[in-house]
Amino acid sequence: MAEVQVLNVAVLDNPSPFGNPFQFEVTFECMEDLPEDLEWKIIYVGSAESEEYDQTLDSVLVGPIPAGRHMFVFQADAPNTGLIPESDAVGVTVVLITCTYRGQEFIRIGYYVNNEYTDTELRENPPLKPDYGQLQRNILASNPRVTRFHINWEGCAEKMEDSENVDPAPNAMLSPSCTPGKAPPLGLVPDNSMNCL
Amino acid sequence: MAPVLREEDEKNENIPKLLCQMDNHLACVNCVRWSNNGLYLASGGDDKLVMVWKRAAFIGPSTMFGSSSKLANVEQWRCVMILRNHTGDVMDVAWSPHDVWLASCSVDNTIVIWNARKFPEIVMTLKGHTGLVKGLTWDPVGKYIASQADDHSLKVWRTMDWQMETNITKPFSECGGTTHVLRLSWSPDGQYLVSAHAMNNSGPTAQIIERDGWKTNMDFVGHRKAVTVVKFNPKIFKKKQKNGSTPKPSCPYCCCAVGSKDRSLSVWLTSLKRPLVVIHDLFDKSIMDITWTLNGLGLLVCSMDGTVAFLDFSQDELGDPLNEEEKNAIHQNIYGKSLAITMESHLSSTIIENPEMLKYQQERQGNQNPNGAQGSSHENQTAKLTNVLNGESLEDIRKNLLKKQVETRTADGRRRITPLCIAQLDTGDFSPALFNSVPILPGSSTSTQLTPQISSDSSTANSLGLRPSHDPTTTSPNKTAEENKDSGPAAVNSIGMKSNLLLTSASKIEPMKALDSRFTERSKATPGVTSVPLTIGITPLDRVKDSSSVKEPKGKDETSSDSEDKGMVKSLSMAKRKGEMEGAEVVEKRKKGRPRKDAKMMMPISQPFPQTPVSAEKEPSRLTTPVAVLKLPTPSIQKSFSTQVSTDAITYLEVENEVSVVSGARLSQLKWSREGREWDMLLTSRIIIATGSSDVVAVACEDRTLSVFTTCGRRLIPSIILSAPMSALHCSGHFVMALMASATLSVWDVQKQTALVKNESLNPILSGTDATVSQSFLTQQGVPVVSLSNGKTYCFNSSLETWNLIADKQDSLVQCADFRNCLTSQDALGSMGPLALTQSRNLSAGRLASRFSSTPHHLQQGMTLAFLENQLSSALILLSASEYRHWLLIYARFLVNEGYEQRLRELCQDLLGPVHKSSSSSWEPTVLGLRKRDLLTEVMPVIGQNLRFQRLFTEYQDQLELLRLK
């Protein structure tokens, strides 16, 4: 079991203009004193089609962390619009918050983000070149998608023995019974429940 | 239970249905069990963990972050203990009567008995099954525990000495196929044990095993497929007295529910020859678990299809349940003592034969008790919770958190935030004011624009665990205990609930799929990613399905009517990008993986001993050994190099060759520095290797000379002329070790000016192999150690004048030895030394023992024994006292655990030596500078732990005492 449990992430300043910084208030609980810092990252997915357009908005170290419950606000600047493909600027994308300990990612929190023009006129006839000044960013805060990873908290560089016993679970986020391609596979199942056998 | 029992309660929105959802397990949960007192819940899952949960009072409703359900948890259950020991999926857990022990069984073929009064202490690991252990049940009197496994056997173990009482295989010999679980059950009167999945005349049965002689003459027949679960009603019944009829004395009987893979359930009374009731096709899939309510009239059954069924019986159907007193009376009749009495003097019925042992046992308990007391007082303290918020409300804090939080820059310019500690916790009860006033719900604001697309799923609630017969209207914490008692040790296998979601807005989803994969894939940017997503546990079957489904064409998506197909297609939506991703990753892994591995092979194991960077591995091409003449590579001469020697006080050696030319002679300079002090030395020949220890510095030159200096730079001995060029040179303490290119080895003690090893050839260890020397070093005691590229490590013993094998990576003993349960937490730290150094990687491999879980126990036992004895003798030959002691204690613990009396006796005898002095005795009172009798004193408590050895314990304890008095 993980030493660090994320209890809550509150999305602050949402919805907000596209250029506003992202603000996440993270509450987490730590079972034991952590000798090293946690590294948090906000990654903005520029385009669904390729990871090329991912932007790491910022990364911070969080520490020192004694056992207990803690919170902090992670603020990061809005994505660099120059790196976002124009065709993907408007519409649904994803922002990810990841946390790593000793270089190992143990939690990934994803939110859908909808970028839309507030102006009805613009919404119906979107300009070819996105007008970022008019865009509003709306993070679907009510529906975080949390994926947890098993990592070695003890911190020796050696690979965890049991990790190799576990196959990656690409379908982790899908409900066992939902038909792919039809249902929006969002938040159906808490990530660690499953359909055995 | 109200909403389950009454429809109007179910519809009443004010009555919460899902009380708490615990997300902490990292993989599929296979089993949940309430403790008998109802205070704790134990869960075991595919993540190899057993978790013990306790109701946390004073926390208001909150949700599990990231779960889909919007419902707040009505009750807060916190994981108070994580029990780690199993190396495979935990299949079943069981609380012993009176919650003295908790047993868990796993696909690692073992059963672990935990001390439920002192978690996470392990009382015993029961080994003997050769297949996946899939069910456990305690004898209601607490004398036995029974387990059933895939190896076609049912084993009964005594709780007195944790040895096997009986092994029943006959009814299972015909069993083909496997079931997911094999939950067997013991009748409440203790007379019968009923197994899952047995066969009789090629028909599936539940075998009845009589306690008396473990006879297997009867069975429950009728299921069409394998029996997965058997569960006895906790009550003993007697015939319902009909009004008017004369009360006939009737025999009390038990009631048993049997669930099967054929999706049907049967309920039997031991007084009837035929089942009381059979319900066919209750579920769509196999039955996974069954539990009775404590009053004996309710039955909950859960199935692999994700549904739970509740069956309500009347007393007319089952009979009159006996009360606890009557039940105890029955136990007393049969077993002499009532259950309560037996359990009070719980742990063992072995008579302690002498006062010494009793004293020791009492001391042990005494030692435990203060610990326990301390622990609880500590708990109280932490439970009180230090509020660091200085009276501010959480809301205020949250408003200003961004401004208030301390943000600094690290040396490399990165942002570092010091998080605000809002609660210190261990056992974690929170200040009620804090969290009741501001229940933190995920998402402080909700979006409206996206919901038409995405919210269709939010209707599906998921349940991880379910506590039956809990009255949901009461949430007062102090009532919980009672409530839980009512509900009994209920168990529901948690399966993702059948989601009955409406599939809507299919058209808009396509682009989302690509995004979805992003939630689960780990960022590649993360360095050193070693493990893989664990978000769901996967059974082997699933894996097969997943991999096959990825390859399937997308056209198959529509066929989801059959529930079995659901598993097949569930991963498809993610397949596209994920598939590409995986392909890419594989390629990348290959690119990176190979060279690194090779490099690792070449690199010496990192070691605290001085070693020059210019040693054998520098030029791997030259490492090949000629067949006829053994020749070791020599390092090439460098213009200048520096090396760090001695780790305690940081010491550097810098070498600069041909610094100056004085009258035709080329001089080389050696510079030594330690914490500000430094000296330098000029040599006439170019320096090949320089090395040093805390006491001496040794330098090998091109002209085949070896010079040794003190740490002040004074020359200790005139240049030694070597027979061949130097290949590797090491210093440790006063010892200097030289490995020549002619594959000969010398070790000198420069203080005493003696040769410990004189031009000893490496022929014996190198000939016949094409291995090369991959590493060499010298221990603090002056024992030379040479590792070869074939994974074997040798040391040269100067008294025997032999090469001794001390480590072998291919050694199957190392791979299979399993002594983990003999390790204590201190042991893990205490094994630093030359032996650990040479074996560092092998030992982690030794921990893979469970992989070879099919190995029969006796074989593994033998291998472990052999391995431990090897370790002991290796530590001895390496003159590594601390490691000798370390392995000796592990060895003793292993002997005690596995019951090797002869060896234990021999060990004790050697450590004790002759009690009466005699001149003829060749007994050495010390080993490696450790007094043997002191070692024996350390071993004694280990022996005292097993009552079987109490006589041995007494015998040696007495003699030690006698010697002390002398």
Side-chain angles (χ1 to χ4, degrees), chain A residues 4-187:
Chain A
V4 173
Q5 302 272 335
V6 174
L7 300 172
N8 188 47
V9 176
V11 184
L12 309 179
D13 188 24
N14 185 48
S16 68
F18 188 85
N20 273 22
F22 282 90
Q23 281 186 14
F24 296 98
E25 178 202 273
V26 181
T27 310
F28 64 93
E29 190 175 289
C30 181
M31 313 290 272
E32 289 163 44
D33 295 3
L34 286 187
E36 284 182 31
D37 289 354
L38 293 173
E39 182 181 2
W40 294 81
K41 270 188 199 150
I42 298 180
I43 299 165
Y44 185 83
V45 175
S47 164
E49 301 309 320
S50 163
E51 264 188 71
E52 257 178 71
Y53 300 104
D54 285 7
Q55 295 184 36
T56 301
L57 300 185
D58 205 348
S59 83
V60 294
L61 299 172
V62 171
I65 302 166
R69 191 174 279 204
H70 309 273
M71 66 198 299
F72 70 99
V73 173
F74 187 3
Q75 177 169 331
D77 289 338
N80 178 353
T81 52
L83 302 175
I84 302 172
E86 287 180 359
S87 55
D88 289 304
V90 181
V92 177
T93 183
V94 162
V95 66
L96 301 166
I97 305 168
T98 68
C99 187
T100 55
Y101 183 67
R102 299 196 206 256
Q104 310 163 87
E105 182 177 333
F106 66 91
I107 192 164
R108 159 164 295 216
I109 301 153
Y111 287 99
Y112 283 126
V113 178
N114 192 20
N115 295 315
E116 250 185 338
Y117 291 109
T118 40
D119 186 81
T120 351
E121 172 65 22
L122 279 170
R123 204 179 298 176
E124 269 152 33
N125 304 303
L128 210 59
K129 190 154 174 61
D131 180 359
Y132 287 103
Q134 295 292 314
L135 267 182
Q136 190 194 49
R137 175 182 68 218
N138 192 343
I139 301 169
L140 184 63
S142 57
N143 229 327
R145 300 282 308 271
V146 181
T147 313
R148 299 184 174 101
F149 305 94
H150 208 170
I151 65 159
N152 182 2
W153 290 91
E154 304 309 317
C156 60
E158 290 258 324
K159 187 171 170 170
M160 252 179 84
E161 273 163 26
D162 50 1
S163 63
E164 61 205 60
N165 291 335
V166 186
D167 277 359
N171 50 356
M173 303 306 276
L174 284 180
S175 163
S177 52
C178 87
T179 312
K182 272 192 164 184
L186 245 187

Side-chain angles (χ1 to χ4, degrees), chain B residues 142-314:
Chain B
K143 210 175 165 193
Y144 301 110
I145 179 170
S147 57
Q148 193 173 351
D150 263 356
D151 58 5
H152 304 313
S153 79
L154 184 156
K155 296 186 199 295
V156 181
W157 315 76
R158 292 186 292 267
T159 58
M160 191 181 82
D161 56 0
W162 303 111
Q163 299 300 307
M164 203 194 300
E165 166 80 17
T166 184
N167 183 20
I168 296 157
T169 52
K170 203 166 141 255
F172 311 105
S173 54
E174 280 182 66
C175 289
T178 56
T179 58
H180 194 263
V181 289
L182 295 165
R183 306 205 203 268
L184 65 176
S185 182
W186 214 302
S187 68
D189 61 4
Q191 286 302 93
Y192 301 103
L193 171 63
V194 179
S195 81
H197 193 28
M199 293 292 257
N200 188 0
N201 281 327
S202 58
T205 62
Q207 183 67 44
I208 302 170
I209 297 148
E210 290 172 57
R211 187 193 193 95
D212 185 16
W214 310 113
K215 289 194 286 274
T216 53
N217 299 327
M218 298 180 287
D219 46 20
F220 293 130
V221 197
H223 280 286
R224 279 160 294 145
K225 284 186 182 170
V227 171
T228 51
V229 193
V230 177
K231 194 71 160 203
F232 269 98
N233 192 312
K235 292 284 182 192
I236 302 174
F237 294 90
K238 60 175 188 269
K239 269 239 175 66
K240 182 97 187 156
Q241 300 294 337
K242 291 210 177 72
N243 286 340
S245 66
T246 49
K248 268 186 272 173
S250 72
C251 229
Y253 54 86
C254 301
C255 171
C256 180
V258 178
S260 156
K261 237 177 159 173
D262 67 6
R263 302 173 289 134
S264 65
L265 174 83
S266 56
V267 179
W268 303 70
L269 301 180
T270 51
S271 59
L272 300 176
K273 289 217 164 105
R274 310 208 130 262
L276 180 72
V277 61
V278 179
I279 305 167
H280 287 295
D281 301 327
L282 183 57
F283 296 110
D284 292 336
K285 282 189 167 188
S286 162
I287 290 174
M288 291 295 289
D289 209 350
I290 301 175
T291 190
W292 291 87
T293 56
L294 262 200
N295 65 12
L297 295 176
L299 181 65
L300 281 141
V301 187
C302 79
S303 158
M304 192 114 76
D305 66 11
T307 57
V308 178
F310 175 71
L311 288 83
D312 198 10
F313 292 89
S314 73

